Amino acid sequence: RFEEAKYGPKYLPLVVKEDASRADVAWIVAHQFDYPELRIEEMPQRRYVYGAFAAHALAYVGEVSKRELDSGSYSRENGYRMGDIVGKSGLERMYNEILTGKDGERIVVVDSRGRIREEVERIEPISGRDLRTTLDFELQKVAEEQGSLTPTGRGAIAVMDPNNGEILAMVSRPTFDPNIFSRRAKSPYDNKEIHNLYDDENRPLFNRVIQGAYPTGSTWKIFMAVAALNEGVITV
């Protein structure tokens, strides 16, 4: 994590510890004059209320990488910088610009020990916009239950509205809890749970609905039956 700091401006704060306990906070407050370089900050955190529910459709967030900053939609030219939390896949990535708000800003005067003496200017942050998906909650719940019944532990379910192409349910197995990434967005490489997801031979992060390649199954019979009826090969 400290190596990543060299890619960004030196004056930006470096995260030393996430999810600090009350004891950690109390210690920093008690020693703020001894260690003025240490500061407690509250950070917003994405919380997926239903855990693994629709995980592959929603996907997850994480800290923007150096590679993403050098090129692509998360580049520095587009206003991103080290430390920003962005969508990594799924709807989180596709609609990142809509879901992401705008950071606030404070211009302050500090003394020689870094203590704030005066606030010169404050720009309030702007919240991101809401996003309404086509996923049907009840239908997704049924699909999730059916997906858990697969004997191999691997499979995919997709339900689409044939009238307009809207995706009503999407399930891929095995699945994962996106909160794992959200809780460790700043230091994912030190997290054992995330390592296990990447090392799992069943590839839980792989979205089998849109990334898998499968031979044509029984759905092909519909087209063959229609063609046979049109040619008079078979009758109703």
Side-chain angles (χ1 to χ4, degrees):
R1 181 68 187 92
F2 284 92
E3 292 180 357
E4 293 181 13
K6 67 184 178 183
Y7 299 116
K10 304 303 180 184
Y11 58 82
L12 289 178
L14 178 67
V15 177
V16 176
K17 184 176 183 179
E18 290 184 308
D19 293 333
S21 65
R22 291 186 178 181
D24 295 328
V25 173
W27 191 93
I28 295 298
V29 172
H31 296 81
Q32 58 184 335
F33 294 110
D34 300 320
Y35 302 98
E37 67 275 13
L38 296 179
R39 188 172 67 215
I40 301 167
E41 288 190 1
E42 293 185 1
M43 300 293 293
Q45 184 183 82
R46 177 78 83 236
R47 179 169 175 259
Y48 300 90
V49 179
Y50 297 101
F53 188 87
H56 287 90
L58 303 177
Y60 59 94
V61 297
E63 184 175 2
V64 65
S65 66
K66 180 180 180 298
R67 177 180 295 179
E68 289 171 323
L69 286 173
D70 290 339
S71 62
S73 58
Y74 296 149
S75 64
R76 294 182 177 87
E77 288 72 18
N78 290 334
Y80 291 91
R81 62 185 183 182
M82 288 299 294
D84 285 346
I85 304 300
V86 297
K88 289 294 186 177
S89 63
L91 294 178
E92 287 282 14
R93 183 177 183 85
M94 179 64 68
Y95 295 102
N96 185 78
E97 293 297 323
I98 293 177
L99 297 170
T100 301
K102 187 174 182 180
D103 291 339
E105 184 177 336
R106 290 177 68 202
I107 300 177
V108 298
V109 176
V110 299
D111 59 20
S112 60
R113 303 197 65 175
R115 293 172 295 188
I116 297 176
R117 292 304 185 186
E118 180 185 353
E119 184 176 290
V120 179
E121 183 180 1
R122 176 190 289 263
I123 300 175
E124 295 297 332
I126 300 175
S127 299
R129 289 180 287 166
D130 293 336
L131 176 68
R132 184 182 294 275
T133 75
T134 61
L135 294 176
D136 183 289
F137 184 85
E138 295 301 326
L139 193 57
Q140 179 71 28
K141 185 162 61 174
V142 173
E144 294 279 352
E145 293 171 353
Q146 292 299 312
S148 300
L149 299 178
T150 173
T152 63
R154 289 174 289 181
I157 298 174
V159 181
M160 177 188 293
D161 186 337
N163 297 306
N164 52 25
E166 291 181 349
I167 302 299
L168 305 179
M170 177 188 289
V171 171
S172 180
R173 286 291 188 272
T175 187
F176 65 96
D177 184 352
N179 285 303
I180 295 175
F181 292 90
S182 181
R183 288 193 296 266
R184 290 291 183 271
K186 290 285 186 180
S187 54
Y189 308 106
D190 300 327
N191 188 270
K192 184 177 180 181
E193 289 178 293
I194 294 177
H195 270 298
N196 291 339
L197 289 176
Y198 283 111
D199 294 338
D200 192 329
E201 61 179 12
N202 289 317
R203 303 172 68 188
L205 297 178
F206 182 72
N207 187 343
R208 287 174 164 79
V209 175
I210 61 174
Q211 294 177 289
Y214 310 101
T216 304
S218 296
T219 53
W220 185 249
K221 296 176 182 177
I222 300 174
F223 300 101
M224 295 298 293
V226 172
L229 284 170
N230 289 336
E231 295 297 323
V233 177
I234 61 174
T235 61
V236 179

